[in-house]
Amino acid sequence: MNQITINGVAHTVGDEERALSLLEYLRERRFLTGTKNGCEKGLCGSCTVVVDGKALRSCRIPVEKALGASVVTIEGMEGPGGEPHPIQQAFMDAGAIQCGFCTPGMVMSAYALLLRDPDPSRDDIRKALKGNLCRCTGYQQIVDAVRLAAKVMREQALPVEAGCLPRR
Ligand code: FES
Ligand code: FES
């Protein structure tokens, strides 16, 4: 197995790429630079992507370990017309973005949470996002944003996966 699926598109991983971290592979080989490199030590969560439904820090996973997996990055969240995913929209509506550096990782952690729980409590959200650091917002608005996204998707019967369409 030498393939990895990213945002619905299968890619062949070359032998010389197998030792790269998933973060390096996404940013430097696939040019998906929405996934941020904040520390490369597993400490900040800015590199979070969703691998087979779970939020993981891409700086800590060799791409070799993700072969055969399906990875969703922040670029895979938008809809077919480029519209933001309801989670992204809720971050904007709730004022949960300041400098924005942590936001892709926050959105991906929130996405993994909402895939398994469409109505998480504020505590559930804090737990799911505890590995994602933000230097700007104070976290309150981020929790508000995830609650808002969950509410919008429940009320409008939107599938959480709605934005994850094949793209290059
Ligand atoms: S860049 Fe991966 S946890 Fe900070
Ligand atoms: S918005 Fe700046 S680090 Fe979170």
Side-chain angles (χ1 to χ4, degrees), residues 8-26:
V9 178
H11 300 276
T12 299
V13 175
D15 288 345
E16 77 293 353
E17 294 174 324
R18 294 172 80 103
L20 297 175
S21 70
L22 179 58
L23 175 63
E24 290 170 320
Y25 180 76
L26 291 170

Side-chain angles (χ1 to χ4, degrees), residues 35-105:
T35 303
K36 300 301 180 206
N37 179 357
C39 70
E40 243 177 338
K41 291 189 170 74
L43 300 174
C44 73
S46 68
C47 65
T48 303
V49 297
V50 173
V51 181
D52 289 339
K54 287 194 185 147
L56 296 177
R57 294 162 198 202
S58 61
C59 70
R60 304 305 288 165
I61 310 167
V63 71
E64 188 166 38
K65 290 266 163 69
L67 293 176
S70 178
V71 179
V72 181
T73 72
I74 193 71
E75 289 87 351
M77 294 296 284
E78 66 182 26
E83 64 275 20
H85 186 281
I87 299 173
Q88 294 172 298
Q89 187 62 53
F91 268 67
M92 292 185 268
D93 293 344
I97 303 173
Q98 288 189 30
C99 80
F101 193 83
C102 70
T103 308

